[in-house]
Amino acid sequence: RVSAAALRGGYRKAAAARPGFDGRVREQLAALSRLEGECCPSMDQAADTFAQLLAAAAAGGLPGGGARRRLAPGHGRGGSSHRRWVYLIDAADDLQKDAVSGNYNPVALRYGLRDGKWDEESRRAFARTLDHSIHMIATAFELWDFGVWRPLLESTVYTGLFAVGRAVLEGTFHKMPPREQRKKHKKAEETT
């Protein structure tokens, strides 16, 4: 309570400085809350709402406009696919925890997973949707000049995202130290 009270003044000041951002975030949080309350089984609806929330955060401060803004990381198609991937991989990572707690999980609802465990058909279908998002991210990535950051981002897009997806689906994401995860997934393969 003390922390919340201390932050309240800072929040009011930030909301007054950026009322459009505050309004968009509040709107998307309310929409997410509605979807959770309805136990909406649509992964896409929940992921899109989350993506719009993060897009509001990424909307300010990008120089240029038009095509430059649409192709930039965090914006446009590539940004939307990235935000979708983040939401879905987080939901998949939380399957067992949400099954125990009874929390909303659109991945569990979409695939009818009651105990937080994958059946092989659902696992493959979900891996395909993750891979599709990564392919969309990669398409947008290739249209942008990242300069000196390209090798790092290229590794993330073409190797890291697939490795994280695979580890989450195998249930090993939290079991190995990050260094061991990198060794295990040294060769890039798709999640499926």
Side-chain angles (χ1 to χ4, degrees), residues 9 13 27 32 49-50 55 59-60 62 70 77-79 84 90-91 96 106 114-115 122 131 134 143 146 157 171 177:
K13 187 176 178 180
E27 181 181 316
L32 269 176
T49 302
F50 177 77
L62 184 69
R70 284 191 306 274
R77 176 63 68 191
R84 178 181 191 275
D90 182 61
Q96 290 183 348
R114 303 268 181 244
D115 59 358
S122 296
D131 288 350
I134 296 171
L143 297 173
F146 292 100
V157 170

Side-chain angles (χ1 to χ4, degrees), residues 5-22 26:
L7 294 174
R8 195 171 297 127
Y11 167 75
R12 286 186 189 129
K13 187 176 178 180
R18 307 273 316 266
F21 170 71
D22 180 53
R26 284 177 173 270

Side-chain angles (χ1 to χ4, degrees), residues 41-122:
S42 171
M43 293 185 318
D44 289 332
Q45 232 179 322
D48 184 57
T49 302
F50 177 77
Q52 289 179 40
L53 190 150
L54 289 184
L62 184 69
R68 181 177 173 87
R69 181 174 286 275
R70 284 191 306 274
L71 295 175
H75 297 77
R77 176 63 68 191
S80 176
S81 296
H82 182 253
R83 293 183 296 268
R84 178 181 191 275
W85 183 89
V86 167
Y87 184 83
L88 293 177
I89 202 69
D90 182 61
D93 190 40
D94 290 344
L95 276 175
Q96 290 183 348
K97 181 178 72 170
D98 290 344
V100 170
S101 68
N103 287 343
Y104 173 72
N105 190 306
V107 173
L109 292 170
R110 163 62 180 84
Y111 293 105
L113 307 175
R114 303 268 181 244
D115 59 358
K117 294 185 177 143
W118 294 101
D119 61 69
E120 196 53 38
E121 182 181 333
S122 296

